Amino acid sequence: MQRAHGQGMDWSARQYLRFEDERTRPARDLLNAIGTQSPARVIDLGCGPGNSTELLAQRFPQAEVEGLDSSPDMVKQAHARLPGIRFQTADLNRWTPDTPYDVIFSNAVLHWLPDHESLLPRLMKQLSPGGSIAFQMPDNLDEPSHSSMRDVAALARFKAKLGSADGERTAIGTPDDYYRILKPLGARVDIWRTVYTHVLDGAEAIVEWFKGSGLRPYLARLDEGERAEYLAAYLDRIREAYPPQPDGKVLLAFPRLFVVAGR
């Protein structure tokens, strides 16, 4: 079910926020499914530039809301955006809080972490009674956007450097997997899958989208010239996979898996 988590390029808040509205919509949908009422302590794991943390602060105005991310650039941006909220830079794989939380929230982060069979029970132990863990993850490794990354990486001129790049992201489990892991630990498990259709300004916009996420492990292993060559070959495949609509727009299908579990 899982793959190992490897090296990668530092996250760029600026690149990530180029599609802030589209990236924030799943966080809103996830937040609306949380059943915990009037939580006192809430944390956003993998808070990124603070867009999802802002939603949590708005939804739970009486709570102490915190954010955590492994990227200093993301935490810096989150601090600037929400100066009244405490943010910290930390490795989620090693995160162990001193006191439990009523809501643990994670928007598009856990697919970068390995061994969900151990990770999720550990996170559930950090919940107070009646608390909720809520997370969503991209479920798009089989979409053309990602199969094209692997196809280009397999070309002879890239293979030596990129042979292990696809192992950085964790292959997520099925709904059955997450139900089996979480149900013995809590009273309620809610699981659903949504395919978002994002209307973007051409194939180039799809490339820019994934430069802020899925392309990172590939680009991190290349020098500047090789990156340009890789991106040109990737763009050619994206143009074939996502033909323009009559108005020039392209439609990016983006499946995501959502899970909310309560104690």
Side-chain angles (χ1 to χ4, degrees), residues 191-238:
I191 304 174
W192 71 100
R193 189 175 188 266
T194 297
V195 180
Y196 294 86
T197 301
H198 299 297
V199 181
L200 302 179
D201 293 326
E204 293 82 0
I206 295 178
V207 176
E208 289 301 315
W209 176 298
F210 289 110
K211 281 170 66 176
S213 55
L215 282 167
R216 290 172 53 256
Y218 300 91
L219 301 181
R221 291 164 167 82
L222 302 173
D223 63 33
E224 185 175 353
E226 291 167 335
R227 288 177 192 170
E229 190 177 355
Y230 178 94
L231 288 171
Y234 177 66
L235 176 58
D236 286 342
R237 284 164 173 76
I238 292 300

Side-chain angles (χ1 to χ4, degrees), residues 30-239:
L30 180 63
L31 184 59
N32 289 336
I34 295 175
T36 300
Q37 302 297 316
S38 303
R41 300 189 75 223
V42 175
I43 190 163
D44 186 5
L45 298 184
C47 62
N51 54 316
S52 52
T53 318
E54 187 171 34
L55 295 179
L56 290 167
Q58 293 168 352
R59 166 74 183 276
F60 304 117
Q62 304 306 315
E64 177 187 352
V65 177
E66 302 174 37
L68 179 151
D69 203 280
S70 63
S71 165
D73 187 55
M74 289 292 194
V75 169
K76 180 181 179 180
Q77 179 71 29
H79 270 299
R81 180 177 188 143
L82 301 166
I85 289 179
R86 177 174 175 261
F87 292 94
Q88 58 179 309
T89 303
D91 181 354
L92 183 51
N93 280 307
R94 297 179 176 86
W95 178 69
T96 305
D98 295 329
T99 54
Y101 288 85
D102 301 302
V103 172
I104 296 176
F105 187 88
S106 184
N107 181 56
V109 173
L110 298 189
H111 60 296
W112 293 107
L113 301 177
D115 191 13
H116 289 181
E117 302 227 10
S118 298
L119 173 66
L120 292 174
R122 178 166 62 82
L123 293 179
M124 286 289 286
K125 289 180 181 178
Q126 313 304 331
L127 284 177
S128 59
S132 297
I133 182 171
F135 59 94
Q136 70 86 10
M137 303 174 291
D139 190 11
N140 57 356
L141 286 180
D142 293 329
E143 292 294 313
S145 57
H146 284 67
S147 62
S148 296
M149 296 178 195
R150 299 190 295 271
D151 290 344
V152 176
L155 296 175
R157 61 187 185 275
F158 299 118
K159 190 172 184 180
K161 285 192 173 183
L162 300 183
S164 62
D166 66 338
E168 181 160 338
R169 174 170 160 178
T170 294
I172 71 172
T174 65
D176 295 52
D177 291 324
Y178 292 108
Y179 188 87
R180 174 179 53 80
I181 294 169
L182 291 167
K183 184 57 180 177
L185 306 173
R188 181 178 68 90
V189 180
D190 189 10
I191 304 174
W192 71 100
R193 189 175 188 266
T194 297
V195 180
Y196 294 86
T197 301
H198 299 297
V199 181
L200 302 179
D201 293 326
E204 293 82 0
I206 295 178
V207 176
E208 289 301 315
W209 176 298
F210 289 110
K211 281 170 66 176
S213 55
L215 282 167
R216 290 172 53 256
Y218 300 91
L219 301 181
R221 291 164 167 82
L222 302 173
D223 63 33
E224 185 175 353
E226 291 167 335
R227 288 177 192 170
E229 190 177 355
Y230 178 94
L231 288 171
Y234 177 66
L235 176 58
D236 286 342
R237 284 164 173 76
I238 292 300
R239 284 174 172 152

